Amino acid sequence: MSGADHPLLRHRDGHHARVTFEELFFDLVYVFAVTQLSHELLGNLTLMGVIETLILWFAVWLGWQYTCWTTNWFDPETPRIRSLLFTVMLAALIMAAAIPGAFGERGLVFALAYAAIQVGRTAYIVWELGPDHPLSANHRRMLGWLSIAAVFWIGGAFAEGAARIGLWAVAVACEYGSPMIGFALPGLGRSTTADWTIEGGHMAERCQLFVIVALGETLLATGATLAEFESWNPALLSAMLATFLGTLAMWWLYFGTSCKDATEAITHAADPGRIGAYFHYIHAILVGGIIATAVGNDLVMAHPHDGVKAAYALTLCGGPAIYLLGSAVYKKVVYGALPASHLAAALVLLALLVAAPFADLLTMGWLTTLVMMGAGLWEGRVRSRHRHGTAGAGFAPRG
């Protein structure tokens, strides 16, 4: 497989494949998509709103992630793959713009744009590879599952309410779950992770850049909210500081304590395709936690003295807790052990739900920020001891 030649494939010379400017430009659309999702959840903080936003988030993530796998295999600096990437980018822009009305009058626009991304991109790659290339069988299976999912996406657009939610949830399950079974289809066989000959360093860096996109959107939202106020009173400035430090803590928990080790783990893994698949699943949860946290930050900034309603409390505590749990599983893949710092901090965040009715949003914002900062300091000390050779063997990076 690694020796298979094709003019569109990345050249593999044993070095870390760099992320190209085409890929960085492509990611800009997803800054907009993440902003749309956080605004959608902020405007509909109900159980139904959470379910709808979750479905839309999986669509955004899966469209980006499948494209990430494509640019891991194929060189985006070649004219044909560059054209493919920019075509997908246009469809992603339309999809992201349709997010606010996806469960309303723009459902068909959203579904068609998304199906065009997934099916169109994969069909083009199948056509370019031809029938005999070693990567062809995997892409044919992938195309089969994405086509099945597209039926549910488009069919759901013609339904309303709970029926649309149900059909789109099935579509998400098809796309998110099919890699777990190797895209198995009757007559087409089944792929194994050994078939996914990815360049591990590139895959890790692409996931890391999406985390930067999500964290960057969180900071943009904080700055935009601050700019909307004519009078910058102490409560507003305190809320801004709390949200900034909370975002900084999330950055540190990911980039300051595991980023380089994660790259090493996937680069030197015996089966990088398997680690890449783990990253595929884990980052959907981890970034989802960032989006939910951004919504909590908006609440704290906009209404610092308001009481904490149940929905607000769940958002303020749940977003960081989801992030911590996603980060914990991520570090389990990298180091082979769940970090106690993350689990303890998640439990403290859940315990804060009890105190929420007696606090205002600003107080809760600071409490959740302090928990995240504490987790970051704890984990930083663990990583520091490891690097100086005093940590337990269970925290050695995998490879």
Side-chain angles (χ1 to χ4, degrees):
M1 173 79 72
S2 59
D5 191 24
H6 191 281
L8 299 183
L9 287 173
R10 280 183 180 265
H11 177 63
R12 304 290 177 90
D13 59 2
H15 295 91
H16 183 154
R18 70 180 183 86
V19 175
T20 65
F21 293 118
E22 289 83 353
E23 292 170 283
L24 295 174
F25 186 48
F26 173 79
D27 285 353
L28 293 178
V29 171
Y30 284 87
V31 177
F32 175 51
V34 170
T35 300
Q36 291 283 76
L37 287 167
S38 61
H39 287 177
E40 185 70 8
L41 180 57
L42 180 62
N44 191 10
L45 269 179
T46 64
L47 177 60
M48 191 62 68
V50 170
I51 293 171
E52 291 176 356
T53 305
L54 186 61
I55 290 172
L56 297 176
W57 158 238
F58 273 111
V60 167
W61 172 253
L62 290 165
W64 181 87
Q65 182 67 21
Y66 275 75
T67 304
C68 175
W69 283 79
T70 298
T71 57
N72 188 280
W73 282 313
F74 299 92
D75 186 357
E77 293 185 323
T78 59
R80 281 178 284 178
I81 298 301
R82 181 188 297 124
S83 298
L84 172 65
L85 190 63
F86 291 164
T87 301
V88 170
M89 186 179 179
L90 174 60
L93 180 62
I94 295 170
M95 177 194 71
I99 283 174
F103 283 94
E105 73 282 357
R106 290 183 180 168
L108 185 59
V109 174
F110 179 88
L112 287 174
Y114 180 71
I117 291 170
Q118 296 293 71
V119 176
R121 179 197 58 241
T122 312
Y124 178 78
I125 293 298
V126 169
W127 178 74
E128 282 283 7
L129 287 173
D132 300 322
H133 193 276
L135 286 173
S136 296
N138 182 63
H139 279 82
R140 285 194 295 268
R141 297 177 191 119
M142 191 187 304
L143 178 60
W145 274 103
L146 294 177
S147 299
I148 293 169
V151 171
F152 288 98
W153 283 113
I154 296 171
F158 289 100
E160 295 182 356
R164 182 176 296 182
I165 290 174
L167 289 169
W168 282 5
V170 172
V172 166
C174 287
E175 297 189 35
Y176 195 69
S178 55
M180 298 181 187
I181 58 171
F183 300 107
L185 282 171
L188 294 179
R190 175 175 179 165
S191 301
T192 67
T193 53
D195 297 326
W196 304 339
T197 54
I198 64 170
E199 203 290 311
H202 175 270
M203 177 63 70
E205 187 175 354
R206 294 296 286 127
C207 290
Q208 291 157 6
L209 287 171
F210 200 100
V211 174
I212 283 287
V213 164
L215 290 174
E217 194 283 328
T218 303
L219 288 176
L220 287 174
T222 296
T225 303
L226 183 64
E228 289 176 358
F229 284 83
E230 293 183 3
S231 175
W232 289 5
N233 55 58
L236 176 64
L237 295 176
S238 178
M240 180 273 294
L241 183 60
T243 58
F244 175 78
L245 291 176
T247 304
L248 185 61
M250 288 194 293
W251 179 90
W252 175 252
L253 283 165
Y254 186 92
F255 290 97
T257 62
S258 61
C259 180
K260 294 180 180 179
D261 289 338
T263 301
E264 290 292 316
I266 190 172
T267 301
H268 297 101
D271 186 357
R274 181 177 297 277
I275 306 297
Y278 290 156
F279 281 16
H280 170 81
Y281 297 118
I282 293 166
H283 280 81
I285 300 168
L286 194 149
V287 178
I290 297 176
I291 293 171
T293 301
V295 173
N297 289 349
D298 283 344
L299 292 171
V300 173
M301 288 284 293
H303 311 286
H305 295 305
D306 282 11
V308 183
K309 301 176 183 178
Y312 295 174
L314 289 171
T315 304
L316 284 165
C317 297
I322 292 170
Y323 178 82
L324 284 168
L325 293 175
S327 181
V329 178
Y330 177 61
K331 290 175 181 178
K332 174 68 165 65
V333 172
V334 175
Y335 298 112
L338 290 169
S341 57
H342 292 50
L343 301 179
L347 289 174
V348 173
L349 286 169
L350 294 178
L352 285 178
L353 290 172
V354 178
F358 308 100
D360 57 22
L361 284 169
L362 179 57
T363 301
M364 283 298 295
W366 269 109
L367 288 173
T368 56
T369 291
L370 290 172
V371 172
M372 296 297 285
M373 292 176 66
L377 290 171
W378 182 351
E379 185 65 9
R381 292 188 64 183
V382 170
R383 297 272 69 79
S384 178
R385 287 202 304 270
H386 163 71
R387 292 187 180 99
H388 288 86
T390 59
F395 284 94
R398 288 185 167 186

